Structure formats: C-alpha cells, structure tokens
Amino acid sequence: MRERLGKELLFLDGGMGTLLQERGLKPGELPETWNLKRKEEIIEIHRQYYEAGSDIVLSNTFGANALKFHDEDCSLREIIFAAVDNVKTARALAGKDDGRHYAALDIGPTGKLLEPMGDLSFDEAYEAFAQAARYGAEAGADLIHIETMSDTYEVKAAVLAAKEQTGIPVFATLIFDERGKLLTGGDVTGTVAMLEGLGVDALGINCGLGPEQMLPILKEICRHASVPVIVKPNAGLPKQRDGKTCYDVTPEIFAGWMKQLVETGACIIGGCCGTTPAHIRAMTKACRGMQIQVPTEKTETIVSSYGQAVVLGDCPVIIGERINPTGKKRFKQALKEHDIDYILKEGIRQQEQGAHILDVNVGLPDIDEPAMMEEVVKELQGITSLPLQIDTVDQRAMERAMRIYNGKPMVNSVSGKQESMDMVFPLVKKYGGVVIGLALDENGIPKTAEGRVEVAGKIIREAAKYGIRPKDIVIDVLTMTISSEPEGAITVLQALEMVRKKYHVRTVLGVSNISFGLPYRPAVNSVFYALAMQKGLTAGIINPGSEEMMKAYRSYLALMNFDKNCEAYIAAYADYKPAGPARTGSPASGKTDSAGGASGTGKDRKTGEMDLRYTIERGLKEEAGRLAKALAETEEPLSIINQHLIPALDTVGKRFEQGTLFLPQLLMSADAAKEAFAVLKDTMEQSGIVQEKNGKIILATVKGDIHDIGKNIVKVLLENYGFDVIDLGKDVDPERIVETAVEEDIRLVGLSALMTTTVVNMEETIRLLRKEKPDCQVMVGGAVLNQEYADMIGADFYGKDAMQSVHFAQKVLHSGEKES
C-alpha cells in the first residue's frame, strides 16, 4: 500500500468502543476479549465499516499489550491473531478482498507514564509494543496503526518496536489539545520532526477533539510534515444522557468538516470516539474523488526534545559547550565521582544563560561512556526541555543515547572518512537526528576553503545513499586557532559562506577554538563569532556564560533585526553596569529570579550557593536534600517547608499553568521537594515535632479503567502540598470508594477516567457518594472529560490539569466549607 500513500485520499474506519457499548459491553469488560467470545459481532462491525467505504479497518486490539491486557481465558497471542483474522474475514464478507483494502493492527498506549515521570522504563514499553507488533505481523496485518498517544517517548518506543519487528507500513497518531500540546508538553513541530526522523509512513492526530477543533492543529502539522497526514476526529465532545455517552456531531456535519480537513491537507481520514459506520459512510460519500494536497518535502532543519523544537534557520542559535570534560578539571572530577547533580546544574545554568541546545560529551578514558551517556541524557531530559546534542566518537554510546533520547537530537559528529560515515549514517537513518558533518577526511583537514567545501559535499552525497536529506546535515568547516595558523579565521569564514551558497545546508562551529594559545581569549572569540554569524553561521558552540560572547550574540541579533524592536537586547542590558574589561558571566541586571538569587545564577546572594527554592524549582533532587539538611541545622523544619518548599512548588505550578514549564519538569520539581521533605521529616521526628496534614483525599481510577497516569500525577502534587492521599489505585469499584470515604470521613474524592466506556462508573460513584456521604465533594479529570461532561455526571469540579486539582483541594479542605 505504500505506493498509494500521499498520492490519493484513503479512508480509515470509525470508533469501536462506542459500538461495543451499544451491543452490551459491560463497564470494565476488556473489549479485546470480544474477538473470541463474540467474534461474530466484531466481524459485523468491521464489515459495516468496509461497506461504508473504509479502505483501512483497524483490529479490535487497542489495549492488547502485555502491560494492559490480562485475561485468564486467553493469551495475548490468541487475542491478536483472532482480532486480525476478524478484520480479514469481514473484508472478505464485504467483497473487498481486492488488494486495495487493508487490515491494520491497532496499537494503543500502555496507560503508564515512562521514566523519569513514571515507573515504566523505555525498554519495558518497547518490549510490550514489540510483542504486539510481532503477533500482528505474523497474523497477516497489512500495516500497524499506533494511535491515541499523548507522550513522544511512548510513541517512540512503539514506532521503534513496530519498525524493528516488522517490515509493514507504520502509522502514528497522537492526542493534541486545543493549544497543540501533548500531555507531556510536546508541540506539533517537535513531534512531527521526531516521527519523520524515525521513518513513519504517515502521522497525524486522533481523539480528544472534534473535527472543527482539529482544523488549526492540522494546519500546523501540514506546515512541517513531509509525509502523508492522518486525521481521526471524535464525533464532537462527549456528553452524558440517560446514563449513556453521546456525541453531538451528526454524520452529515462530520462529513462537511472532513471535506475541509482534506482541503487543508489531510491525506488519510477516519473517525475516533463516537463515530459510527454512518459517519464513515457520509464522510466517504462527501470526500470520494477529492484531490489531496500531495505532501511536499519540507526543508526546515529541526532538532527537538520532548517539549521544545529548535529550528536551525537564518537566526543563529546557541549550543552550550559546558557539558564537556575537555579542559574542565571540575567536570572531569564530576564524571569520575558520578556527580550527576553537578552535570545537571551545568545544564540548567546554560539554559538560563541563553543556550538553545546543550552539547553533551561525557567521554573519559576510565569511565563506561555508553552507560554514562545514557544516564546523563535521561537525567538532563528530566530537568530541562532543551534539545540535546549527543557528542561522542563511541559508537555504542551514540546508539544508546539516540535510542533512549526523547525527541530528535543533534549528533556530533560524522566526518568525511568512510569509516566514520559507515558507522554514523545507519544510526541517523534509524533513529532520526540532525548530524554534524566535519569537513575532514582520510587526508586530514583541508588547508583551503574549497577543500573543506568539497569534503562537505562528499558527506552530503554519502548521506543521500542512506536516505538522509540535506536538511538533516549541519556542516562544521572546523575552526583552527590563529596562533598557529594565521589564515585560519579567513579560511573558515570563506568556507562558511561557500558551503551555504553551494549546498544550502546549515552550519555550526566550535567558536572558541579560534583563540587557543592567546591571552584574553574572549576578545578574539567574540569578534570572530560576530564575523562568522555574518557569513552564515547557523549555530555556535559557545559558553553562554561568557559576557563577551553573549554581547556579540545579542548585538548581532539586534543589528540584523532578528531581535524585533531590540526587545531582548534591552531586557538584557537596560540596567547593565560594566564591571571591568575581564569580567565574564551573564550581564548583571539587578533582577532576581524566583529562587531568590541573581537572575540566571540560582545562587543565594548572601552565601553565593544555590538555595533550596532554586533546586526544587529546577528538579535537582540530591542538591535539594543536601540544602534542606544544611538549613535544618539553623532553621525550624516547618519554617523551611513554608518559606522554601511551598513557595517553590507554587512557582513551578504557576509556570506549568502558563505553559512555560512542562509535565516532566513539574514532576521532577515535585520529586526534589519530596527529597527535601524527607530530610525535614526525619529532623521533625527526632525533635518530636508533628506536621499537621492539610486533610485526607481519596484518589481512584474508576472501575473498568486501568489508566492511572492522571491520578498518579495529581497524587504526587497533592502529597507535596501536605495532603494525606489515600490512593485506591485503578479499576476501583464505586462501592469501595464510598465505603472508604465513609470510614475515613473524607471530604474530597478525586476520580480519573481515560476511556469513554468507563465514565458511567464515574457517574455511579458520584451518585453513591451523594447518597452515602453528602458532605463529600468530588473532583474529576481525564482525557475524555470536559466541563460540560463533568457537570452532567454531577461532579463538583473538573480539573484540566493536576495543578487545578491542587487549588481546588486547598479551597475545599482549607476553608472547611462545601464549595458551591
């Protein structure tokens, strides 16, 4: 089917859960078991979709993975084989066995958060998806459709599993909210870049929104995607009527919106929750024969993390150079002593000083570089959303880091040596990335600009053999020190300009090499940096803590109108007071950051050390514990909690709500606060001090739902704010929740649901609580809920995110009154 992708409009099927509910699927019953127990009805649903015009029908295997599916009567293999066979049987019954209608293996999320946010490792997620993909391919699936993903890390594990275990096409769709954000903070640009780098055949959006709400997100996807785009909206937003989940977008209205989505750029369309064969029939009738917008190759050079994309374009970007042992005695010591917190602090410091990407090099002769690289990449991605540059010559270290990296990294580097290209290019092709090409080969570094440009061309041509496009190559024409090579700067500047004009690729330089061996190096570095940017330097690998370098950078942006109205320049230097010609570091603005230290330094003004609030806000667990212990020697533990821990969490919470900080950072800050609190708790217990809890709260994922991501996030934050959380877990009977609420005299219950099929149990729980514990309030949350839905099922509060739940708990349990 690959030959049809992006050339003609293809139709997917619609919802499965909605139809199973209508046919008697019980709350909490595993839908996948119907593939064996009630296979005739599953076949009938599939047949109706084929007859409604679907080209691709998905198997009833959304939850069929080892982490979610557990049934005593059948194995996972039996379920997946039966599910795929049911689709193929339906295809034959519908008379669609013509080689142009396809049976797809459906793969949904695990329902768990991956490390470092949750307790599921990347490798465990990969194995679960790999097993399902193998079974699906063995059963005869024509393609794999990975859908309803809310985390770039989880979808990466699923895509890798599908591609490594099978040779069939792989589709991937995710749940973006109306802001174009994933649950874990990912944006459209970074997600598209990562998925294309991994080699998916098509990508897009499904679930969570109706077709109208998906339109602006589709436009954003199409701006960046070079592969066919998939759109699978819900039939509007869910509502609850007479104990049933309903959707308000009719087949006719749905079809009208789908026409607009095709006109906007969708190549593969179908439906998700609430859509039926009637919706698909109306859609195919309205859209059949429409000409698609054939996907075009986009030329943006993009690197990304889980929550941030950096476009390497005309406006230069900064790659922070400080996470690198070369010439750094203290950093070498940190690597040898496994002082990860020191490395993390270097990353945070560079982010605050203005870096856009962080170079990561942990190579020392006497350490296990692959293991250290993997650990540092994971830890850095827990506390910063900046993309990383994986900097190593060790093949194993490079592959391990690229495999577990959450996003599309920069890779430093490949040279024009055949051995180097043979090693690096297969990794870049497999995992995706923007690779730095060094202008040297078996003959060394060419003396002339023309020679370096020729090596660059050799790298670009060889990369093309692997299917790596020029947009994913950034050329380093290699900075040579002028102390030993007087023409070195002139040659580099000429080569920069020539590479950009001849090959139209982006460029990078290790800027500070130019001054090696000279006194007062920052003066030479900053002038060379400005000259290089003028000649087309895209990314400078520099120390963002160098005042001279940042002056050159900010001045260049202002002069070339990249800094509109000189806003960034003015913000940096409005209160600047020169402190002497040899001063380094960030400009002193006289402002303080939220941690109480000098802006961008994270240091206490009195001691010069990082303070506790700062370490909590940045998620530095070990440092937070150490500082809490030190503070407890001179201050009361309760005072430390109220003056440091809670204000830090409040700051992080506000930034999360404002969209300037993402879920991984929120949870890492919570972990740092927990580390500090554990130290203070020990001190209080030794002194006989008892901390009063803010009140008890029950949390539970409702009966039939095994997705506890949202509940666990809320739990972490509530506990950090001093609430006593009774976590009843997932798949919890309404009666158990009510009994616990009565026994513990609970005044607030939090309920979570991710599946529309289980919201009925949420409503039943609320009904029983109203009857048995009328003074108890209920807050609800989950991907399938909205304010209108929450009102319909009788909830007191609907929380769009975890911090809103904390605020509501504070209102209810601190006021002592029932909220109206």
Side-chain angles (χ1 to χ4, degrees):
M1 67 171 300
R2 284 192 173 101
E3 66 277 2
R4 299 178 65 189
L5 294 177
K7 296 181 177 65
E8 60 182 284
L9 183 62
L10 295 177
F11 299 106
L12 288 158
D13 59 2
M16 173 61 74
T18 309
L19 302 182
L20 295 185
Q21 281 180 294
E22 291 177 355
R23 292 168 181 258
L25 181 72
K26 299 175 183 177
E29 186 178 4
L30 296 175
E32 294 79 19
T33 60
W34 278 40
N35 289 307
L36 291 171
K37 296 177 181 177
R38 300 176 68 170
K39 64 180 299 180
E40 291 78 11
E41 295 189 66
I42 297 297
I43 291 170
E44 175 62 16
I45 292 171
H46 293 326
R47 184 185 65 79
Q48 288 180 14
Y49 278 127
Y50 277 122
E51 292 179 346
S54 297
D55 300 301
I56 304 166
V57 171
L58 276 59
S59 60
N60 178 31
T61 51
F62 182 78
N65 64 69
L67 296 171
K68 286 175 66 174
F69 182 84
H70 299 283
D71 188 87
E72 296 179 355
D73 298 326
C74 58
S75 68
L76 182 64
R77 187 179 190 277
E78 289 176 299
I79 283 293
I80 292 177
F81 268 73
V84 174
D85 185 66
N86 288 341
V87 181
K88 293 193 292 184
T89 299
R91 181 173 61 188
L93 291 173
K96 304 293 184 178
D97 264 342
D98 53 6
R100 295 180 60 82
H101 293 79
Y102 310 102
L105 175 72
D106 189 25
I107 291 182
T110 63
K112 295 179 177 291
L113 277 174
L114 273 66
E115 295 173 345
M117 292 181 289
D119 56 5
L120 180 65
S121 74
F122 181 84
D123 289 339
E124 288 172 329
Y126 172 88
E127 287 302 328
F129 292 129
Q131 183 183 37
R134 279 196 307 272
Y135 290 159
E138 290 171 10
D142 299 307
L143 69 140
I144 293 174
H145 187 111
I146 300 161
E147 66 171 343
T148 323
M149 292 288 179
S150 57
D151 176 15
T152 53
Y153 209 24
E154 184 172 29
V155 77
K156 177 173 182 175
V159 170
L160 277 176
K163 290 186 68 65
E164 290 180 350
Q165 300 296 323
T166 78
I168 57 181
V170 177
F171 295 179
T173 55
L174 301 95
I175 307 177
F176 290 98
D177 63 20
E178 290 181 330
R179 302 171 303 158
K181 292 286 187 179
L182 301 176
L183 171 68
T184 51
D187 60 13
V188 169
T189 307
T191 302
V192 170
M194 185 195 77
L195 288 175
E196 285 200 358
L198 291 170
V200 297
D201 295 276
L203 58 84
I205 180 172
N206 82 289
C207 203
L209 301 171
E212 181 179 3
Q213 293 79 24
M214 283 188 178
L215 190 57
I217 300 169
L218 172 63
K219 291 178 181 178
E220 181 70 10
I221 294 174
C222 291
R223 272 195 288 271
H224 301 289
S226 303
V227 298
V229 176
I230 307 164
V231 183
K232 290 180 55 181
N234 290 345
L237 301 176
K239 293 178 171 56
Q240 196 77 358
R241 298 193 189 104
D242 302 323
K244 293 183 178 180
T245 301
C246 304
Y247 293 82
D248 56 6
V249 173
T250 65
E252 292 72 24
I253 295 173
F254 184 81
W257 279 110
M258 297 310 287
K259 284 188 68 174
Q260 289 194 42
L261 291 169
V262 174
E263 291 167 353
T264 303
C267 298
I268 305 168
I269 58 174
C272 205
C273 299
T275 57
T276 66
H279 287 83
I280 301 304
R281 182 174 291 104
M283 177 188 76
T284 57
K285 182 178 179 181
C287 300
R288 184 78 68 187
M290 289 184 67
Q291 293 295 314
I292 64 168
Q293 293 186 23
V294 177
T296 57
E297 182 67 35
K298 307 305 187 297
T299 58
E300 293 175 309
T301 300
I302 300 172
V303 295
S304 69
S305 66
Y306 66 85
Q308 189 172 340
V310 173
V311 179
L312 302 182
D314 293 333
C315 181
V317 301
I318 294 170
I319 301 174
E321 68 180 9
R322 301 298 296 171
I323 303 177
N324 189 319
T326 304
K328 303 178 186 70
K329 184 177 179 180
R330 178 64 186 92
F331 194 91
K332 290 179 181 178
Q333 179 186 350
L335 288 175
K336 292 176 181 178
E337 297 175 356
H338 199 256
D339 185 356
I340 300 297
D341 250 30
Y342 177 84
I343 300 172
L344 300 184
K345 285 185 283 187
E346 283 292 335
I348 291 170
R349 188 174 293 116
Q350 291 182 97
Q351 176 175 348
E352 293 174 345
Q353 290 167 338
H356 305 103
I357 300 167
L358 298 178
D359 182 75
V360 182
N361 185 317
V362 295
L364 279 181
D366 48 354
I367 68 168
D368 182 348
E369 185 179 351
M372 178 62 80
M373 177 66 85
E374 181 175 348
E375 181 177 6
V376 169
V377 166
K378 285 181 178 178
E379 292 291 333
L380 277 170
Q381 288 209 292
I383 54 93
T384 177
S385 63
L386 293 187
L388 304 181
Q389 175 171 285
I390 298 165
D391 186 355
T392 180
V393 295
D394 185 305
Q395 182 177 7
R396 291 190 303 125
M398 185 179 289
E399 176 155 24
R400 285 176 66 171
M402 293 183 73
R403 188 173 185 83
I404 56 90
Y405 181 79
N406 189 357
K408 182 181 180 182
M410 285 195 80
V411 180
N412 190 8
S413 55
V414 65
S415 73
K417 295 179 180 179
Q418 194 62 48
E419 180 184 14
S420 174
M421 294 187 288
D422 290 344
M423 181 193 86
V424 175
F425 285 150
L427 298 181
V428 175
K429 176 60 178 176
K430 180 176 182 178
Y431 296 111
V434 172
V435 63
I436 293 176
L438 305 180
L440 65 89
D441 58 14
E442 287 82 359
N443 298 315
I445 302 173
K447 294 293 184 182
T448 65
E450 291 81 3
R452 295 182 199 181
V453 173
E454 179 52 40
V455 175
K458 175 182 175 182
I459 292 170
I460 293 167
R461 290 189 295 273
E462 186 69 17
K465 297 177 183 178
Y466 291 85
I468 300 169
R469 296 157 292 190
K471 70 177 182 180
D472 288 328
I473 300 170
V474 177
I475 295 297
D476 184 346
V477 294
L478 297 171
T479 306
M480 306 300 290
T481 178
I482 56 173
S483 63
S484 61
E485 192 170 321
E487 299 287 322
I490 297 171
T491 301
V492 169
L493 295 174
Q494 289 175 342
L496 274 176
E497 191 170 30
M498 292 169 67
V499 163
R500 290 294 300 273
K501 286 183 177 179
K502 184 170 184 177
Y503 295 114
H504 307 290
V505 293
R506 302 302 174 180
T507 57
V508 64
L509 285 177
V511 177
S512 60
N513 292 342
I514 198 72
S515 64
F516 188 78
L518 295 177
Y520 190 33
R521 296 179 63 188
V524 175
N525 291 344
S526 59
V527 174
F528 175 67
Y529 187 28
L531 291 171
M533 287 188 284
Q534 182 62 28
K535 289 295 185 179
L537 177 64
T538 306
I541 303 175
I542 69 167
N543 175 11
S546 165
E547 182 178 330
E548 285 84 352
M549 297 299 279
M550 294 309 293
K551 281 180 180 177
Y553 179 74
R554 294 189 180 107
S555 299
Y556 178 81
L557 263 55
L559 289 165
M560 301 307 294
N561 199 31
F562 290 121
D563 178 8
K564 301 300 180 184
N565 302 314
C566 302
E567 292 177 2
Y569 184 89
I570 292 170
Y573 299 113
D575 302 319
Y576 178 61
K577 295 178 178 60
R583 184 172 178 266
T584 60
S586 293
S589 65
K591 301 175 183 178
T592 59
D593 68 4
S594 57
S599 179
T601 67
K603 293 182 179 179
D604 184 275
R605 290 186 181 280
K606 296 180 181 178
T607 65
E609 296 290 331
M610 283 188 172
D611 71 12
L612 182 56
R613 282 184 60 182
Y614 178 91
T615 58
I616 291 171
E617 290 175 15
R618 274 61 179 184
L620 297 171
K621 293 180 286 187
E622 293 181 13
E623 193 74 7
R626 184 185 68 80
L627 290 175
K629 185 176 182 180
L631 279 175
E633 294 176 359
T634 58
E635 298 181 30
E636 291 294 327
L638 289 177
S639 175
I640 297 171
I641 291 171
N642 293 326
Q643 294 181 23
H644 295 268
L645 270 66
I646 297 301
L649 289 171
D650 285 341
T651 297
V652 170
K654 288 175 183 176
R655 291 180 60 204
F656 176 72
E657 292 178 322
Q658 293 166 354
T660 60
L661 176 145
F662 305 112
L663 182 61
Q665 296 159 288
L666 178 73
L667 294 181
M668 292 302 288
S669 293
D671 282 348
K674 188 182 296 183
E675 189 82 16
F677 178 75
V679 172
L680 299 174
K681 183 180 178 182
D682 289 341
T683 303
M684 288 189 290
E685 289 176 350
Q686 293 170 12
S687 305
I689 302 172
V690 178
Q691 184 198 21
E692 292 185 9
K693 289 286 185 178
N694 286 329
K696 291 183 179 180
I697 301 173
I698 287 176
L699 293 183
T701 300
V702 298
K703 181 176 174 58
D705 205 317
I706 60 172
H707 301 84
D708 58 359
I709 290 176
K711 172 185 68 65
N712 291 342
I713 294 169
V714 173
K715 176 185 176 182
V716 168
L717 294 184
L718 287 173
E719 288 179 337
N720 272 278
Y721 275 87
F723 293 99
D724 187 359
V725 178
I726 301 174
D727 183 1
L728 297 181
K730 54 193 176 184
D731 191 18
V732 186
D733 288 325
E735 292 78 12
R736 184 184 171 206
I737 296 171
V738 174
E739 288 171 6
T740 307
V742 172
E743 290 173 3
E744 299 287 341
D745 192 21
I746 299 296
R747 290 173 42 223
L748 180 61
V749 170
L751 302 176
S752 173
L754 187 68
M755 302 164 61
T756 56
T757 55
T758 60
V759 176
V760 62
N761 290 325
M762 185 178 279
E763 184 179 27
E764 174 64 10
T765 303
I766 295 172
R767 187 188 68 78
L768 289 177
L769 281 168
R770 296 283 181 259
K771 178 181 178 182
E772 304 295 335
K773 194 74 170 64
D775 63 334
C776 179
Q777 295 205 59
V778 182
M779 58 183 182
V780 298
V784 296
L785 295 173
N786 53 52
Q787 187 63 59
E788 183 179 3
Y789 210 165
D791 292 340
M792 286 184 177
I793 62 176
D796 297 292
F797 178 76
Y798 161 66
K800 291 186 69 174
D801 59 53
M803 282 308 303
Q804 289 189 358
S805 300
V806 172
H807 298 328
F808 183 70
Q810 290 172 324
K811 289 179 182 179
V812 172
L813 298 182
H814 288 181
S815 68
E817 300 176 0
K818 184 175 175 69
E819 292 285 310
S820 59

